[in-house]
Amino acid sequence: MKSLPFAALIALQLALSPAVHAKLSPAEAKMAKTVEAEQGRNLALLERLVNQNSGSQNLEGVEKVGQMMRAELEPLGFQVEWKPMRDTGRAGHLIATHAGKPDGKRLLLIGHLDTVFEPDSPFQKFVRKGDMGEGPGAGDDKGGMVVVVAALRAMQAAGTLKDANIEFHMTGDEEDAGTPIEKARADLIAAGKRSDVALDFEGLVRDAGADMGSVARRSSDSWTVTATGKASHSSGIFSAEAGEGAIYELTRIIHRFRTELPEPNLTFNVGLIAGGQQAELDAGGIRATANGKTNIIPAIAIARGDLRALSPEQIDRVKAKMAAIVADHAPGTGATIGFDPGGYPPMAPTEGNKALLVKLNGVNRDLGLAEMAALDPLKRGAGDISFVAADVDGLAGLGPWSTGDHAPGEAVDIPSIARQATRAAILMSRLSAEKR
């Protein structure tokens, strides 16, 4: 049987069980109808956004996507500003502000203009495949920006937008942040300090087929271990004079990381490794070159990896453990560890975040949708909302559901756009009506 449109499904549920859904107001019912009625318009916007390449390093392309979003937001009454960030190596950010009642809660919406797909990627165009829309950034995060626009249009149609205080930050470098990151995220951090609620419109996560609520995101840091040894003839390996060499030392350190560091909500990956008589990283730390011979004890070995944790305390504790392991050298070797500046902080699962999920589940109940359990933070990566998490309660994952993110074939689930936009419109309307 062909599935009903989202608004029609809601109308049917309301008719069949009015007692259960009595809290859905006429304005909220109108929001659901508006989102469904404008699904074609929303998909057309998605296609335009996806077909404009906006890889993080395609500065002009990111700016063009910003211009497209400006054209959607200004007619809704937003004051829109482009914040250039060329001095950080990236295009910039689009910031849209809507002034409502002075005593109403201030909402911070977060999305991003850029994708991981640069102009040299073969994956460039939007293609509709049944209920899926395939294309670069279709889910991450152009689908999320479409959800926001659809929700705001629905609020305008229902009359709830006019009183809402909303600041919408669309970063141009979420996938590959500019440096220094303190400058690249300064505007977002400042917005978090003046807001009451932060809502992140990166993709919805489903677990075992169920929509999940994201009240936490882990951090993202990068580290480099450099091990050294005495370059000499391999026949002397393990002797007191020659020692164990740089590669054995690096291997020993990584093995100790793997066996001694594990704890809940922590992961650490080794993403790049090189060693030999000579070895070095490129300026970006993403490529390595090495040379050596089998009969020479290696003088240097280098490993690069990441570290993801759920709280600042966990990050500090694990970094201290890593430093202690690195400092405990095998005979005839040395090693150092360095942590890259400007990592992504964590978004801890605070009571305030959990309370927001309770409010979202109130929306779900009134729409006749299943309640959303809190997602295990191990199942989602770092994101921009983490930069404001220390200052404001927040929810992540309010964008659409998608598959294959960050790889050719990335595809957004089209029905989830309407569902997420309806949820967001009602949630934002209810939050905006609350007093500060």
Side-chain angles (χ1 to χ4, degrees):
M1 184 179 77
K2 186 176 180 180
S3 60
L4 286 171
F6 181 72
L9 178 61
I10 295 301
L12 178 61
Q13 291 171 327
L14 287 167
L16 293 176
S17 51
V20 176
H21 306 291
K23 294 182 180 179
L24 197 67
S25 71
E28 291 168 348
K30 184 174 180 60
M31 291 181 214
K33 293 177 182 177
T34 299
V35 169
E36 183 63 30
E38 296 196 341
Q39 182 74 326
R41 181 182 182 184
N42 296 330
L43 290 180
L45 172 60
L46 177 63
E47 183 170 0
R48 291 196 303 274
L49 293 172
V50 169
N51 285 342
Q52 171 57 60
N53 180 277
S54 59
S56 304
Q57 298 182 43
N58 179 7
L59 308 192
E60 291 75 17
V62 172
E63 288 186 13
K64 287 178 180 177
V65 170
Q67 292 165 6
M68 294 178 186
M69 290 299 294
R70 177 191 290 271
E72 300 298 326
L73 294 165
E74 285 184 334
L76 294 171
F78 282 78
Q79 297 294 318
V80 183
E81 179 185 11
W82 175 257
K83 294 299 292 286
M85 287 284 157
R86 296 277 178 141
D87 56 347
T88 73
R90 296 295 178 265
H93 313 313
L94 193 70
I95 302 171
T97 305
H98 186 280
K101 286 188 174 180
D103 60 347
K105 280 196 171 177
R106 298 175 181 175
L107 310 187
L108 172 61
L109 315 185
I110 302 172
H112 61 90
L113 306 166
D114 64 320
T115 77
V116 301
F117 302 96
E118 298 296 341
D120 60 353
S121 168
F123 188 52
Q124 293 290 342
K125 295 297 181 182
F126 182 85
V127 178
R128 177 78 180 264
K129 296 183 177 180
D131 278 346
M132 303 299 289
E134 184 179 286
D140 185 17
D141 186 35
K142 292 176 178 179
M145 292 192 297
V146 169
V147 166
V148 174
V149 171
L152 294 174
R153 286 181 188 147
M155 292 173 68
Q156 184 185 55
T160 63
L161 180 60
K162 65 181 185 335
D163 293 331
N165 293 300
I166 297 174
E167 193 168 343
F168 184 14
H169 278 242
M170 292 149 277
T171 57
D173 61 347
E174 195 272 350
E175 300 291 5
D176 190 0
T179 54
I181 202 165
E182 293 81 8
K183 179 176 177 60
R185 291 296 173 273
D187 292 299
L188 180 62
I189 292 169
K193 293 181 184 299
R194 58 178 173 261
S195 300
D196 300 303
V197 176
L199 302 175
D200 166 59
F201 284 84
E202 284 203 291
L204 171 73
V205 173
R206 287 180 178 165
D207 195 4
D211 291 357
M212 305 297 288
S214 294
V215 298
R217 299 187 75 153
R218 294 183 303 145
S219 64
S220 179
D221 288 283
S222 296
W223 52 263
T224 303
V225 171
T226 303
T228 57
K230 299 176 181 178
S232 59
H233 199 287
S234 66
S235 63
I237 190 78
F238 310 136
S239 68
E241 294 77 15
E244 298 192 5
I247 291 179
Y248 274 124
E249 171 66 354
L250 183 61
T251 303
R252 181 192 65 81
I253 290 169
I254 292 171
H255 177 68
R256 287 190 64 185
F257 284 176
R258 181 67 185 90
T259 55
E260 298 178 28
L261 295 181
E263 59 180 70
N265 296 314
L266 174 73
T267 59
F268 44 93
N269 177 57
V270 182
L272 177 66
I273 192 165
Q277 188 175 0
Q278 296 177 318
E280 62 181 3
L281 296 171
D282 71 354
I286 61 172
R287 297 177 182 85
T289 56
N291 65 74
K293 293 183 177 180
T294 61
N295 61 353
I296 300 176
I297 297 173
I300 186 169
I302 307 169
R304 288 269 293 161
D306 78 353
L307 168 68
R308 298 173 186 266
L310 194 54
S311 69
E313 295 77 17
Q314 186 176 39
I315 295 168
D316 292 342
R317 181 176 64 254
V318 172
K319 285 183 175 180
K321 285 183 180 180
M322 295 174 78
I325 290 170
V326 170
D328 183 20
H329 307 308
T333 68
T336 60
I337 186 169
F339 297 93
D340 291 6
Y344 274 57
M347 173 187 177
T350 65
E351 292 305 312
N353 297 354
K354 294 174 185 176
L356 281 175
L357 180 57
V358 170
K359 292 181 180 181
L360 177 58
N361 277 325
V363 174
N364 285 327
R365 286 193 299 274
D366 293 341
L367 285 171
L369 300 174
E371 293 196 19
M372 301 162 73
L375 178 70
D376 182 343
L378 285 172
K379 296 182 177 180
R380 125 156 280 146
D384 277 342
I385 193 173
S386 295
F387 286 98
V388 304
D391 299 308
V392 61
D393 297 332
L395 278 178
L398 295 173
W401 181 63
S402 58
T403 62
D405 290 5
H406 286 207
E410 177 179 329
V412 65
D413 175 69
I414 290 170
S416 72
I417 294 174
R419 183 168 58 255
Q420 290 293 81
T422 303
R423 280 171 169 154
I426 296 174
L427 178 64
M428 289 192 291
S429 296
R430 293 181 181 184
L431 290 172
S432 296
E434 294 178 3
K435 303 296 184 184
R436 296 197 71 201

